[in-house]
Amino acid sequence: MANELASSTSPYLRAHADNPVDWRMWTKGNLAEAARRDVPLLISIGYSTCHWCHVMAHESFEDEAIARIINENFLPIKIDREELPDIDAYYMNALQAMRGQGGWPMTIFATPAGSPFYAGTYFPPAPRGNLPAFTQVLSAVSQTWTDRRDEVTEMTQRMDRGLADMASAVSDALPAEAASELLSAEELDSAAESLLDSYDPAWGGFGKAPKFPPLMNLMQLLATFVRLGGTTSAREEALAPGRVDRVGADGHLEGELVLDCLIAVRSTFARIASGGMRDQVRGGIARYSVDRQWFVPHFEKMLYDNGLYLRAAVQWAKVERALNPDSKWLALAEREITDTANFLTTDLSDGDRFIAALDADSLNGDGVLEEGAAYVVTPEEFAEVGEEGLLQLVDSPAAAELSGSVVAAIRIIDWLGMDEVPFDEDHPTPWETSATAAQRDGLRKLLDQRSQPARDEKTITEWNSLAITALAEAALYTDAALSSDAAAGWGSQAGHLWDAMVARFGGPGTAAGSEHGAGTLLDVRRSFTGETPGPGQAGLADWAQFITAGITVRQLPDASVQVNDLKSWGTTMFANFTAEDEVLEVFDSMGDEILDVRASDPVDNTVPSGRSAAAEVALLLAEIGVDGSAGSSVHAGNDVADDLSAGGLLELRDRLLGVYRALAGRAPRGCGHALWQSERALKPVRVATRNATLSDIAAKHPAVTLITGAAGVPAEDGSEVEVPEGAAIVCQGTQCSLPVTTAEDLKKLLDA
C-alpha cells in the first residue's frame, strides 16, 4: 500500500510512495503525531537527480527489515529540497555545524518540534569504511532518545540558539556605513585579482576537482574586463591587431589584470566547451566535473546550470564580437549559445515551462540503474560511428566505474591556438565539418535507442525564470548575429514561457495590459507540478528571478510586459523580504509555519543568492527610469518598498550589494553574481530606441545594461523625453545623449 507521498507534487517524493517506510510529508499534523507517539523525527532530504539519494533508497528504504525499525521508532518525513529550500537550508546549517560538511541525501534526527540533535548524509546498510551501518545509527539514536532525553534536550536547545543566530550573523558583523556603499572600482579590481589567485592555468576554472562551472564568476570577470577598457582603450594598447586572438590560447596569465580577466574567461569556457561535462551530442552541460580536466561529469543536468551557462555565453560573445567579429573565440561562444539554447528548448522544456532536471542515472543494458548509462560509449560503438571528425573518447581515471567512455571535443583547444589553421568561409569550424556532423548524428541515433534518464517535471519558479531570462538574452543577441530557424524562435518562446508563468500565478493570459493600472496582483509560488502548486511559498530568489525575467522579456520586440506590473511586483518583493534597520535586513523566505527562522544567506552558490538576485532587480528597475516610477499605488508599509523611485532603487541597490564588501576580497568565488551586479552598477548604460537596427547594435554591445523604448528621463515640462523615430538615445542615469540615427554614431557613443 502506498504511503502518504503518493499524493505529493514532487516526483522525488512520489518515487518513494511504495517504500515500506511509512513516509510522511512536512506538515504540522505529522509533527503533532510524532509528539503524541513520543518518537523523534527521521527527516530525509534529497532531490530527484541525486545519485546517492537513489542508492540509499534502494539499499535501505526499500528494505522491509530497515523500514520496520524506522516505522516503530521514528516518524519518517521525506522532503524535496527543491520544493522547500528554506527547510533544506535550515537543516543543512545544522548538518554542517555538527559534521563540518554537508551533502545529500541529508539524514536528520529531530525532536517532534523539528529541532535537530543528530545529522549525517548517506549511511550504507552495512558498515563501510568510516561509515556506520544505517541500522546502527537508527538503534543508537532511538536508544539515546529513550534513555538520555536530557542530553537530547540540551543539544537541541544549543542548536536552536546557534541556528537562529546564523540568520543575522553576516549583517550584524558589517558596519552600517560599509553596508550602504557600493563597492568601488578598486575593490572590484581586488576581488578579480583574488579570484584569479585560484585560477587553474592548465585546465581553466578555479580550484581543484571536483569542478563546478564558475559561470557567475566568468560574468564578473567579463564585466571587469569591459570596465578596464578591454574592448576600447586597453584593446588598442595591449590587444594590438594580430595579438588579440592569441591571448588565452595556452591558458597562462600574463600579470596584467585586464588581460588576465580575458584569459581566464577564454580558457575556462574553451575547456568546458570542449570537454565531457559539456554534452557534445545534444548540447547542455552536466552539473559538475569529477576531474580537473572537465572530462568526466556527474551526469545529472540541472536547469539552473544551463540557464546560467547560456547567460554567461551571451556575455562572452558580446565581448568577443567587440574584440574581433571574425575570431575563432566568437565562433566558439556563439556555438555555446546556439547549442545551449536549443538544449533548453528541447530537452529541458515541457510546452509552456521548463522542467527542473534530468537524472544522472538510467537503465543500462541489463536493466539496472547506472550513472551515465545514457551517455557513455564503448570504443567499439564509437568506431562504428566513425573517428574522422572532431569528437573523440577521453580516457580519465575518474571514469573507471563507468561502463564506457565519455565523448569530448578536446581538439577545439588545438584549433583555437593554431594560427596556421585558417578560419573563413572556405575553412569552417571543426564542429561544422561533414565528418563531425556524421559523428554527432550517428551518436545521437545510438544514444536515443537507450533508456533515457528520468525527468524531474517540477517547475521551479526561480530556475524557470532564470532560463527564460537567458533565452530572452540569447534572442536579443542572436536576432541578427546568428541566422538560424531555432534562433529566430527563441524570442517568441521566451515570451510564451513568460506569459504562461504569469498565468499560473493567477495573472492574465498575457503578462499585463495598460488597463491593469497599478499592476497585476499575483500569487507567486515556489514550484508547480503541472498546474498544481507545490507546498512551498515563493522565496526572495523566486520573486527576484521572476521580475528579472519580465524586465528582460520586455526588451524583446512586441513584448506585452508592462512597467506598472514590474514596479508593483518589485514593491511586493521588497516589502515581503526586507526590513528597514540600521543595516538593511534581507530575508530569503517568508518563514515556515513550523520552524520559526527566516534564513538570510548572501552567498552565491550554485545559483545567485536571493539578495544578489534582488540587487539585479533594483539595478534594472532603476534603469527603466521615469516610466518605472510613474505611480504604483501599492503602499507596502515598509520604508524600503515604499520608495521605489529611480533614486530610491539606486540607494536600495547599493545597500543590497554593499554587504558583499565582507566577502569580495576573501571569498570572491562565493559572490560572483553580486560582483557582476556591482560591476554593472558602476556604469549602467541604457539605450532607448524603437529602431530594430539600432536595437540590434545595443543588444550585442558588452557595455549595455538595458534596452527600452522610452528615454526614462523627464523633460522640462515634467513629461518624458520622447525618442524620435529611427533614433537612439544613450543614457547613464539622468545624463543622456542627443538622439543619433546611424549605426556608426551609436557605436561611438557606446564605446566612449
Side-chain angles (χ1 to χ4, degrees):
M1 180 177 177
N3 58 45
E4 184 177 290
L5 303 187
S7 62
S8 169
T9 54
S10 163
Y12 170 66
L13 266 58
R14 290 201 303 273
H16 292 79
D18 293 321
N19 288 170
V21 176
D22 184 22
W23 290 115
R24 309 295 184 89
M25 289 189 275
W26 179 258
T27 65
K28 277 186 173 181
N30 283 329
L31 270 66
E33 181 179 336
R36 286 194 300 272
R37 288 176 52 196
D38 191 29
V39 293
L41 304 174
L42 164 58
I43 304 171
S44 177
I45 304 177
Y47 56 104
S48 67
T49 59
C50 166
H51 172 72
W52 287 103
C53 298
H54 297 321
V55 172
M56 190 167 178
H58 176 67
E59 292 177 341
S60 296
F61 301 144
E62 295 174 8
D63 184 278
E64 294 280 354
I66 294 177
R68 194 175 305 112
I69 296 171
I70 293 173
N71 295 337
E72 290 176 358
N73 298 283
F74 302 89
L75 191 138
I77 290 179
K78 258 289 177 191
I79 292 175
D80 184 334
R81 66 175 296 261
E82 296 166 353
E83 283 193 327
L84 296 172
D86 48 343
I87 307 302
D88 173 69
Y90 177 82
Y91 286 119
M92 181 58 72
N93 284 337
L95 172 60
Q96 291 174 329
M98 293 180 190
R99 297 280 174 236
Q101 58 185 10
W104 298 274
M106 197 186 330
T107 306
I108 302 290
F109 296 94
T111 69
S115 299
F117 61 90
Y118 187 79
T121 52
Y122 163 79
F123 291 107
R128 185 184 307 163
N130 295 324
L131 292 175
F134 189 41
T135 51
Q136 292 174 318
V137 173
L138 293 171
S139 176
V141 170
S142 179
Q143 184 177 0
T144 301
W145 176 261
T146 302
D147 300 337
R148 297 155 59 187
R149 186 73 61 87
D150 55 340
E151 294 181 24
V152 172
T153 301
E154 182 183 350
M155 176 65 175
T156 57
Q157 290 175 344
R158 199 162 57 240
M159 284 298 300
D160 287 345
R161 287 194 301 270
L163 292 172
D165 290 344
M166 287 180 71
S168 59
V170 173
S171 296
D172 291 347
L174 190 69
E177 63 274 9
S180 64
E181 297 175 2
L182 188 67
L183 276 72
S184 67
E186 292 76 14
E187 288 173 311
L188 291 171
D189 286 350
S190 295
E193 290 167 349
S194 178
L195 175 65
L196 291 169
D197 285 343
S198 63
Y199 167 70
D200 181 351
W203 295 99
F206 306 96
K208 301 177 181 178
K211 277 184 174 174
F212 290 80
L215 306 171
M216 292 174 277
N217 286 122
L218 294 181
M219 289 187 276
Q220 166 208 346
L221 291 179
L222 285 165
T224 303
F225 176 75
V226 172
R227 174 175 55 80
L228 293 174
T231 57
T232 52
S233 58
R235 174 188 175 182
E236 298 171 4
E237 298 172 10
L239 300 175
R243 186 186 179 202
V244 60
D245 293 339
R246 289 196 297 274
V247 168
D250 65 2
H252 291 285
L253 303 181
E254 298 196 7
E256 184 177 349
L257 182 58
V258 63
L259 294 181
D260 289 349
C261 288
L262 180 64
I263 291 167
V265 168
R266 281 179 165 178
S267 176
T268 302
F269 260 121
R271 290 293 181 182
I272 291 175
S274 63
M277 195 188 79
R278 200 276 207 189
D279 190 330
Q280 304 294 336
V281 178
R282 301 192 66 90
I285 62 171
R287 184 163 168 248
Y288 65 85
S289 175
V290 177
D291 55 12
R292 177 186 172 196
Q293 295 89 342
W294 309 101
F295 284 172
V296 180
H298 190 35
F299 286 90
E300 75 255 44
K301 293 179 180 177
M302 312 300 295
L303 177 60
Y304 57 77
D305 284 323
N306 286 279
L308 285 169
Y309 190 65
L310 182 54
R311 289 199 82 181
V314 169
Q315 299 305 314
W316 181 35
K318 290 179 182 180
V319 167
E320 295 296 355
R321 180 167 287 275
L323 291 171
N324 180 3
D326 298 316
S327 76
K328 294 177 179 179
W329 296 105
L330 177 60
L332 181 59
E334 292 184 342
R335 172 203 189 230
E336 297 312 285
I337 291 173
T338 300
D339 284 5
T340 308
N342 289 339
F343 171 75
L344 281 171
T345 56
T346 55
D347 291 50
L348 289 181
S349 67
D350 183 21
D352 64 353
R353 71 196 75 201
F354 288 110
I355 67 169
L358 299 176
D359 208 330
D361 300 354
S362 57
L363 296 176
N364 61 20
D366 297 324
V368 177
L369 277 177
E370 177 185 308
E371 183 177 0
Y375 302 103
V376 296
V377 177
T378 65
E380 294 76 19
E381 290 171 326
F382 191 74
E384 289 186 18
V385 168
E387 301 178 356
E388 295 301 317
L390 170 68
L391 305 183
Q392 65 186 91
L393 301 183
V394 292
D395 184 24
S396 170
E401 296 184 5
L402 300 177
S403 59
S405 298
V406 178
V407 178
I410 55 179
R411 285 193 288 267
I412 287 175
I413 302 298
D414 297 330
W415 177 75
L416 289 168
M418 296 170 67
D419 292 339
E420 66 273 18
V421 177
F423 169 50
D424 52 39
E425 291 184 1
D426 298 323
H427 301 86
T429 66
W431 54 85
E432 292 176 317
T433 65
S434 58
T436 303
Q439 282 184 313
R440 194 161 45 241
D441 290 345
L443 286 169
R444 177 169 288 212
K445 289 176 183 176
L446 170 70
L447 299 178
D448 282 351
Q449 294 172 6
R450 298 182 181 177
S451 176
Q452 296 302 300
R455 291 161 55 94
D456 186 335
E457 301 285 351
K458 289 195 313 295
T459 302
I460 305 292
T461 296
E462 174 189 10
W463 307 356
N464 194 61
S465 301
L466 197 160
I468 291 171
T469 296
L471 194 63
E473 289 177 336
L476 285 164
Y477 173 81
T478 59
D479 214 15
L482 299 175
S483 55
S484 72
D485 293 339
W490 295 339
S492 61
Q493 286 177 291
H496 169 67
L497 291 161
W498 162 260
D499 288 343
M501 181 167 60
V502 173
R504 280 194 294 277
F505 298 149
T510 56
S514 58
E515 71 270 20
H516 296 294
T520 304
L521 298 177
L522 299 179
D523 180 20
V524 180
R525 304 290 301 211
R526 167 65 182 174
S527 66
F528 283 81
T529 299
E531 298 305 313
T532 305
Q537 300 182 78
L540 176 58
D542 297 300
W543 274 94
Q545 295 294 358
F546 165 65
I547 297 170
T548 295
I551 296 171
T552 311
V553 168
R554 182 177 178 266
Q555 299 174 72
L556 295 167
D558 304 319
S560 59
V561 187
Q562 300 297 310
V563 169
N564 280 340
D565 282 336
L566 296 169
K567 181 70 181 298
S568 174
W569 299 333
T571 299
T572 300
M573 179 183 76
F574 288 117
N576 287 342
F577 298 101
T578 67
E580 184 64 66
D581 203 342
E582 184 178 358
V583 174
L584 178 69
E585 290 188 85
V586 178
F587 306 103
D588 291 335
S589 68
M590 294 291 290
D592 178 67
E593 62 176 0
I594 297 171
L595 300 175
D596 188 25
V597 174
R598 298 182 71 182
S600 180
D601 185 356
V603 175
D604 297 323
N605 199 331
T606 53
V607 290
S609 68
R611 186 184 191 109
S612 71
E616 183 170 18
V617 172
L619 169 70
L620 295 175
L621 282 179
E623 283 305 297
I624 289 175
V626 162
D627 55 355
S629 58
S632 166
S633 63
V634 176
H635 179 70
N638 175 312
D639 290 343
V640 176
D642 284 338
D643 182 17
L644 293 192
S645 63
L649 284 163
L650 291 174
E651 181 182 351
L652 177 56
R653 176 203 68 188
D654 293 353
R655 296 181 73 188
L656 287 166
L657 293 171
V659 75
Y660 291 97
R661 179 166 281 104
L663 294 172
R666 296 195 300 271
R669 290 169 65 184
C671 53
H673 189 262
L675 293 171
W676 179 38
Q677 302 314 313
S678 299
E679 287 280 8
R680 299 171 86 191
L682 282 181
K683 190 182 177 183
V685 176
R686 178 173 73 256
V687 175
T689 184
R690 295 183 179 88
N691 180 272
T693 300
L694 299 179
S695 180
D696 281 347
I697 292 169
K700 294 173 184 63
H701 198 283
V704 173
T705 309
L706 187 77
I707 303 170
T708 180
V713 293
E716 291 184 3
D717 63 359
S719 63
E720 187 172 357
V721 172
E722 291 290 329
V723 182
E725 288 295 323
I729 296 175
V730 178
C731 302
Q732 292 183 43
T734 57
Q735 301 298 311
C736 293
S737 71
L738 294 173
V740 295
T741 57
T742 68
E744 291 74 17
D745 287 340
L746 177 58
K747 289 177 181 176
K748 287 179 183 177
L749 285 174
L750 294 176
D751 287 338

